[in-house]
Amino acid sequence: MDLEQLISEIGRELHAALPRPSRNPVKAMDARAMEMASRDAELRAALFRLVDVTPATRSLDDLARHLGAYLGEVGDRPPSIDAAMKASGSRAGRQALGVAAAGGVRHMAHRFIVGESPRAALKPLRELWEGGAATSVDLLGEATVTREEADRYAARCLEALEELAAAVPKWPNRPALEQDSLGRLPRVNLSVKVSALTPLMRPEAPEKGRDDAVARMRPLLRRAKELEAHLHIDMESLDAFETTMELVHELLDEPEFRDGPSSGVVLQAYLRESPEQLDRLTEWARASSRKPPLTVRLVKGAYWDHEVVEARQHGWSPPVFEVKADSDRNFEELTRRLLDARPLFRVAIASHNLRSIAHAIAWNRSTGGEDRDLELQILRGLGDELQQALASCGHRVRAYCPVGDLVAGMAYLVRRLLENTSNDSFLGEQQRGAPIEELLAAP
Ligand SMILES: Cc1cc2nc3c(=O)[nH]c(=O)nc-3n(C[C@H](O)[C@H](O)[C@H](O)COP(=O)(O)OP(=O)(O)OC[C@H]3O[C@@H](n4cnc5c(N)ncnc54)[C@H](O)[C@@H]3O)c2cc1C
């Protein structure tokens, strides 16, 4: 069968398996708020500023005042927002509005964050596992500026490894999530950020940040190996690329880590130089004497605005594609290269875009691969329905699950909301009701 035909078939099967629009009133309200925000740029800006300011507000009255002020900037207000504006004019109204706004923000944050601590996250993580999805835990916290913060982050990572490793043996068997054709897949999976492991990350001197982060990363790898856990190294903005890659290449090749732990890196398809980055990674993997295959998580990239603004400020041309379809096409090309390179890598395709996912499944099948040798990853809160559909169609799926408190979660939340409601995003298009032919069309 022709590849496009196969993509269309797989995409339609997944689409049909998506759970029906929720009857749960809270979820329906969430969807409505997202839809309103994706239609209206001013409302979106007002909501982001509210989410940003919530942890710093002193009282509900204060929070409602902020909300009233932000909503005042929205030109064409839907009736529900007009009513909220009127309420912010009186003290009693502000109290009620403050309670509703705080509840709304907290609710939204909890949609993305599985728990405030690894221990609090154990129950939702187990429920995901029982429902057919593996997980990767991400400890929230933005860029580290002091040595103490880096030490604290490393200690939290160790604590998370211990908590998870103690809990997972009691989870039920899920053969589809625990084995691929190369062997066993760890139940414990932790994603870490190099920028949180060192305050010395500087693009002009990557070796300084690398050496500092290596000192905190080594004990994590050691413990992960003992606990048979997987450690995944996230990719951040391009300034962090060299430090991150140097750290991976140096540490994972050390004799101590040649036979474990299972580890992985991230490739960002929005980067114009990502094909050459994959060349480098392939060369390294071929030359390395490491036994467990490196997992490569392919993403489009979460720092698009940052990369464009930063480049413009310096008068450089952006390192990222500027047309969304170029990122999508490159994502498909890298998908094919990664799948063709197996068993050198384990491949994880991280996307909420039905076309990108259906393309990966189709390429894997059409080149003789087994479904169990392709992992599909989603972000908790954004891809929950897709995760259910993938699991129900028998695919191996992993949910990326942030853990942290509300304040730490705000930057994460704002980024996810921006992504989810932008005009270019697949989820935005899907929410606006684009027909399936358009959603599955070749980029
Ligand atoms: C499990 C998981 C782990 C992740 N880990 C990381 C990580 O470690 N590092 C990281 O950077 N990201 C990470 N991401 C986020 C990811 O990079 C994407 O931002 C997100 O998944 C949206 O892409 P999509 O394919 O789901 O949606 P789509 O809507 O198909 O794509 C949106 C993406 O397209 C790109 N884009 C948007 N506008 C343009 C434009 N005008 N021109 C060119 N490209 C454009 C951007 O990358 C944007 O995020 C992760 C995502 C998942 C699901």
Side-chain angles (χ1 to χ4, degrees):
M1 193 191 289
D2 157 69
L3 185 68
E4 281 303 321
Q5 217 177 327
L6 192 54
I7 293 172
S8 164
E9 220 168 74
I10 293 166
R12 282 168 194 274
E13 185 199 356
L14 287 174
H15 192 258
L18 287 169
R20 291 299 113 216
S22 178
R23 293 220 185 101
N24 173 338
V26 179
K27 277 206 167 161
M29 214 169 65
D30 257 12
R32 175 92 185 106
M34 288 284 189
E35 188 206 316
M36 271 162 59
S38 70
R39 281 180 205 276
D40 186 330
E42 284 165 346
L43 177 59
R44 188 158 75 227
L47 287 177
F48 292 149
R49 286 165 63 193
L50 178 75
V51 164
D52 235 2
V53 84
T54 301
T57 47
R58 293 179 307 275
S59 64
L60 294 176
D61 197 57
D62 196 20
L63 182 60
R65 235 186 269 277
H66 279 293
L67 179 58
Y70 296 154
L71 293 180
E73 290 164 21
V74 179
D76 192 12
R77 287 190 289 269
S80 50
I81 297 208
D82 239 8
M85 280 282 305
K86 288 205 183 90
S88 71
S90 73
R91 197 176 154 71
R94 274 200 301 278
Q95 277 292 323
L97 194 57
V99 171
V105 170
R106 200 172 306 121
H107 168 75
M108 229 190 288
H110 281 297
R111 180 178 148 171
F112 295 94
I113 298 168
V114 278
E116 299 212 339
S117 65
R119 183 165 297 173
L122 291 176
K123 187 162 173 270
L125 294 175
R126 181 183 174 130
E127 284 166 2
L128 281 163
W129 178 263
E130 286 170 348
T135 50
S136 186
V137 165
D138 161 45
L139 299 174
L140 288 174
E142 286 301 298
T144 294
V145 285
T146 64
R147 209 181 301 154
E148 290 71 29
E149 282 170 340
D151 289 340
R152 207 157 40 238
Y153 178 76
R156 284 170 61 216
C157 288
L158 273 181
E159 180 204 328
L161 285 173
E162 302 290 347
E163 290 276 1
L164 292 167
V168 298
K170 293 171 221 132
W171 293 1
N173 287 335
R174 285 288 178 273
L177 302 178
E178 305 188 62
Q179 188 84 26
D180 66 4
S181 65
L182 297 178
R184 210 185 61 80
L185 298 161
R187 287 184 174 189
V188 177
N189 185 310
L190 183 69
S191 288
V192 297
K193 290 198 168 50
V194 175
S195 71
L197 282 173
T198 172
L200 303 178
M201 196 94 133
R202 305 277 180 279
E204 64 282 6
E207 64 292 341
K208 256 191 160 173
R210 178 202 59 204
D211 293 347
D212 195 49
V214 156
R216 294 189 184 84
M217 188 73 177
R218 200 175 274 119
L220 290 181
L221 283 167
R222 211 167 269 150
R223 197 65 189 127
K225 184 176 172 183
E226 286 160 5
L227 297 170
E228 296 182 16
H230 174 91
L231 216 53
H232 211 95
I233 296 148
D234 283 356
M235 191 55 84
E236 304 171 69
S237 54
L238 192 57
D239 340 350
F241 178 81
E242 280 305 324
T243 310
T244 306
M245 273 313 173
E246 285 191 11
L247 172 136
V248 168
H249 291 171
E250 182 183 313
L251 259 181
L252 294 187
D253 246 350
E254 286 184 0
E256 183 181 2
F257 301 125
R258 291 223 172 118
D259 53 355
S262 163
S263 322
V265 293
V266 176
L267 187 66
Q268 294 162 318
Y270 67 2
L271 290 176
R272 293 175 193 276
E273 62 187 56
S274 51
E276 289 77 39
Q277 292 176 349
L278 178 54
D279 290 342
R280 238 172 103 183
L281 210 54
T282 309
E283 250 170 61
W284 174 83
R286 283 219 176 96
S288 161
S289 47
R290 240 178 95 75
K291 270 204 225 104
L294 188 73
T295 302
V296 181
R297 177 200 298 155
L298 180 64
V299 302
K300 285 178 194 148
Y303 305 85
W304 189 85
D305 298 84
H306 169 87
E307 302 295 4
V308 171
V309 171
E310 173 114 337
R312 295 225 168 102
Q313 272 170 359
H314 289 89
W316 302 329
S317 71
V320 289
F321 292 110
E322 289 174 86
V323 175
K324 163 80 161 59
D326 288 341
S327 292
D328 290 342
R329 258 194 306 276
N330 191 41
F331 190 89
E332 295 192 1
E333 196 146 337
L334 295 173
T335 299
R336 295 195 289 271
R337 283 187 56 192
L338 281 167
L339 289 171
D340 292 349
R342 284 174 311 178
L344 198 59
F345 302 124
R346 278 187 161 132
V347 183
I349 298 296
S351 170
H352 308 113
N353 184 322
L354 209 54
R355 160 77 200 189
S356 307
I357 297 169
H359 166 269
I361 299 170
W363 185 260
N364 185 38
R365 286 183 185 168
S366 69
T367 52
E370 295 179 53
D371 279 354
R372 66 174 178 158
D373 286 336
L374 170 63
E375 181 163 293
L376 301 160
Q377 298 190 347
I378 57 97
L379 296 175
R380 150 90 177 185
L382 277 190
D384 301 347
E385 280 150 12
L386 183 59
Q387 166 211 309
Q388 286 178 41
L390 287 166
S392 73
C393 292
H395 295 288
R396 183 150 62 79
V397 57
R398 184 178 305 279
Y400 182 94
C401 294
V403 167
D405 65 19
L406 194 62
V407 177
M410 281 305 149
Y412 180 84
L413 181 58
V414 172
R415 252 207 311 274
R416 295 287 85 85
L417 289 176
L418 264 170
E419 218 167 76
N420 195 24
T421 56
S422 93
N423 281 335
D424 261 349
S425 90
F426 177 87
L427 286 175
E429 239 181 90
Q430 193 180 29
Q431 241 154 27
R432 281 187 291 277
I436 181 81
E437 298 73 35
E438 260 173 52
L439 296 176
L440 292 176

